[in-house]
Amino acid sequence: MRLEPLISERRIRSRVADIAERIDSDYRGEPLSLVVVLKGAYVFAADLVRRIEMPCTVDFVTATSYGRATRSSGRVTIRGIDRLEVVGRRVLVIEDILDTGLTGAAIFEQLAPCKPADIMFCTLLRKPGAISRELPVLYAGFDIPNDFVVGYGMDYAERYRNLRDIRRLIFDSRDAEPEADKASDRLP
Ligand code: IMP
């Protein structure tokens, strides 16, 4: 297994600033609630929030679907939505990656009964598979190929979240790529 650079720190910084500027202009004067999806989006959200100038609230939900695998298990568990106070507010869900879109769809379904004014999505990365799900994505930082990526908050089996840039995780032919729910302890 090895890591290959994909998106530099400088490109991330500049894109995050663009998105924040657009949020300020699109939501100005409205009650905005940011709902950050942990764990992967925490670094992106921390940078984004500090660039947004308008008043907004920030809350966190936790989503689990991958475990120690590089493919979604298809079972998404969301925690923390019941604690949100978003009645009448405009909600912007902050995600790290839209891959299959299953996580986003589950969040949408569970948030809708909380009666927000509307629910939109902001994702740092979007993989091609996400396009098939009809989520209202207002902001997507980068469209990337169908590779597994790590860094800038994103992990593989809880590693690499602390990288400042985003890298592709390349599996060599001798690596047995773990399937969902089948853990591998061989990390680079
Ligand atoms: P989805 O439900 O398939 O859209 O997957 C969304 C979640 O899976 C993301 O929020 C990430 O936490 C995780 N994920 C998807 N692709 C990757 C990846 O390439 N690297 C790290 N995590 C990923």
Side-chain angles (χ1 to χ4, degrees):
M1 236 172 343
R2 64 200 156 83
L3 296 174
E4 201 175 75
L6 183 66
I7 306 173
S8 68
E9 214 183 326
R10 188 185 54 77
R11 285 182 69 205
I12 298 170
R13 199 179 313 121
S14 139
R15 196 73 184 106
V16 169
D18 288 348
I19 295 173
E21 209 173 291
R22 285 180 52 205
I23 291 173
D24 272 330
S25 125
D26 294 345
Y27 285 90
R28 188 161 301 285
E30 309 208 46
L32 175 62
S33 287
L34 304 177
V35 173
V36 180
V37 185
L38 296 175
K39 296 184 190 171
Y42 80 102
V43 175
F44 172 43
D47 283 349
L48 185 69
V49 165
R50 286 177 293 172
R51 287 282 187 166
I52 294 175
E53 290 178 1
M54 64 170 287
C56 60
T57 61
V58 185
D59 287 289
F60 301 89
V61 297
T62 309
T64 326
S65 72
Y66 275 50
R68 293 174 56 91
T70 58
R71 280 181 228 116
S72 173
S73 66
R75 291 184 301 274
V76 182
T77 309
I78 314 289
R79 290 198 179 84
I81 289 196
D82 49 325
R83 287 187 276 103
L84 302 179
E85 290 175 16
V86 293
V87 181
R89 300 182 63 83
R90 300 196 66 189
V91 169
L92 186 60
V93 179
I94 311 294
E95 280 215 71
D96 54 351
I97 306 187
L98 272 181
D99 182 3
T100 61
L102 277 174
T103 305
I107 289 172
F108 191 96
E109 263 169 40
Q110 293 181 35
L111 258 175
C114 304
K115 305 231 178 329
D118 68 356
I119 306 168
M120 297 288 164
F121 284 77
C122 169
T123 184
L124 178 64
L125 305 179
R126 179 167 54 185
K127 292 189 188 178
I131 290 157
S132 60
R133 307 239 159 216
E134 284 156 18
L135 286 177
V137 180
L138 266 194
Y139 315 102
F142 301 93
D143 283 301
I144 60 164
N146 225 347
D147 297 317
F148 197 82
V149 297
V150 293
Y152 198 65
M154 290 164 282
D155 75 312
Y156 171 66
E158 294 302 328
R159 282 192 65 180
Y160 309 120
R161 292 192 198 275
N162 54 329
L163 297 175
R164 292 182 181 195
D165 59 343
I166 297 172
R167 303 185 198 177
R168 298 168 59 202
L169 188 61
I170 316 270
F171 291 89
D172 299 320
S173 51
R174 61 180 188 282
D175 295 319
E177 188 180 345
E179 299 289 338
D181 297 332
K182 283 190 207 154
S184 163
D185 284 324
R186 290 182 293 128
L187 296 172

